Amino acid sequence: MGCDDAQLIRRWQQGDASAFEAVVRRWQEPVARFLARYVGRQAPVGDLCQEVFLRVYHAGPRYREAGAFAPWLYRIALNVARDAHRRGRRAPVPLPEDVAADGVMAADSLCQQRETVRIVADAVADLPEPLRLVLVLHHYERLNFEEIARLTRTPASTLKSRFAAALQRLRVRLEPLGFGPEEESS
Amino acid sequence: MNCPQARERLAARLYEDLAPEDAVPLDRHLAECPACRREAEALRRVHELLDSLPAPAARVDLPALYRQAALRHERQARRWRRGAIALLGAAAVLLLIFGLRLEIRVEPHQATFRWGMPADPDWPVPRPVRPSPDPLPSVANDALAAVTPEQMLVCRELIHALAADVDRRDGRLREEVARLQELYRRTGGRLAETERQLAAIHAAQMILIQKGGER
């Protein structure tokens, strides 16, 4: 996929507007997902996503990192997210609209599922920024630690420690609320 | 492998970041240690909960993006134009001052503007003029007649040194002016490029609007 992205960018730099549109169609969902998880807001995700690709459009002529498009794109998304965070207070993600009823789920199960989503989203949003960033990029965006290191200019070993710390914090926060592992039967 | 070593590797094992040669001893330890197994299960549960968060939907509005890009290009082009005009003005002033060797001196009751070529260092120093038979005394001729050849030589050397200094300064300033002119030329080129890009964006916009109309 990285090679295809580099080809699309090259075509776009040579004047093919449809190549840029293909890049947008391919990456708008992952970018939106990253922004929602990292910023912790639902409402401005569309605007932030728009801003990310506007910056990509302007920065495209200067793109030179062949084969490393994802970290470059996420770096832009991260800058947009940080700018948004500096402008406004971060709030936990209210996601009940996305947890839609499928028509057969019992009302109490649906409520429980929405409550679970809210609790987990709050826990992620309350992580310190460096831990939240590596968690979102590694767990949701599937970037490896070397790619995240290039993106954040942080050593991969530090990122691995932060990732493990993020999981531990979530575990400590969620287990007392009843989200612990099932006990082994003796 | 002991428990602390095993727990350090649990997250990596869960996300398949562990090398096979490290995974085998860890799995062996987990098979024998219920406490570490519980830790691993707790992390796996966190992994499951993270996956339960739904992904938000978002669609980039491409026509709006092109409009915003055109606006930004326009703003940038205006900034470049202002910068180019300011630079050109500064270059013109510098050219005027140093190209014409303009010297401005302001004194309490007068202002002096001078310009022109410096004195030619090879220009012969005038020799003292013999007093003319003119019966009327000439103050200048008397003063020149009083100057010794050694003093004339010192004056000549002084004039040569001043002229050389002025030439050096002129050379540096000519280089500076050339650099500013080059900068202005490049700025003009970038402005032209920006205007071409604007035109391309407008054309793309029109095509998109037409396509939208046809649908």
Side-chain angles (χ1 to χ4, degrees), chain A residues 34-78:
Chain A
F34 167 75
L35 290 169
R37 307 268 188 262
Y38 179 76
V39 176
R41 289 180 171 198
Q42 180 69 3
V45 167
D47 293 342
L48 295 178
C49 208
Q50 190 83 5
E51 177 64 22
V52 168
F53 286 99
L54 184 60
R55 292 191 191 189
V56 168
Y57 183 84
H58 283 288
R62 295 191 297 275
Y63 173 72
R64 289 290 177 270
E65 298 177 43
F69 178 73
W72 181 78
L73 176 62
Y74 281 116
R75 176 145 199 87
I76 292 176
L78 178 61

Side-chain angles (χ1 to χ4, degrees), chain A residues 20-21 24 28-29 32 36-37 50-51 53-54 57-58 98-99 116-117 120-121 124 135 138-140 145 163 167-168 170-171 174-175 179-181 183-184, chain B residues 11 14-15 17 34 37-39 41-43 45-47 49-62 64-66 68-69 72-73 76 201 208:
Chain A
F20 172 70
E21 291 169 18
V24 170
Q28 60 189 348
E29 296 288 348
R37 307 268 188 262
Q50 190 83 5
E51 177 64 22
F53 286 99
L54 184 60
Y57 183 84
H58 283 288
D98 287 317
V99 184
T116 301
V117 164
V120 175
V124 171
L135 177 81
H138 190 53
H139 178 91
Y140 292 107
F145 288 113
F163 185 71
L167 290 179
Q168 273 304 322
L170 288 173
R171 182 223 161 164
L174 296 171
E175 204 168 316
F179 296 106
E183 296 298 331
E184 276 186 15
Chain B
L14 179 63
Y15 283 81
D17 294 330
R37 257 201 316 279
R38 192 185 184 285
E39 286 290 317
E41 182 54 29
L43 287 184
R45 181 74 178 114
V46 169
H47 185 285
L49 289 167
L50 287 172
D51 278 346
S52 71
L53 292 187
R59 285 282 177 271
V60 173
D61 183 351
L62 277 167
L65 187 147
Y66 288 133
Q68 286 167 321
R72 279 196 194 182
H73 271 300
Q76 207 170 23
I201 289 165
L208 280 167

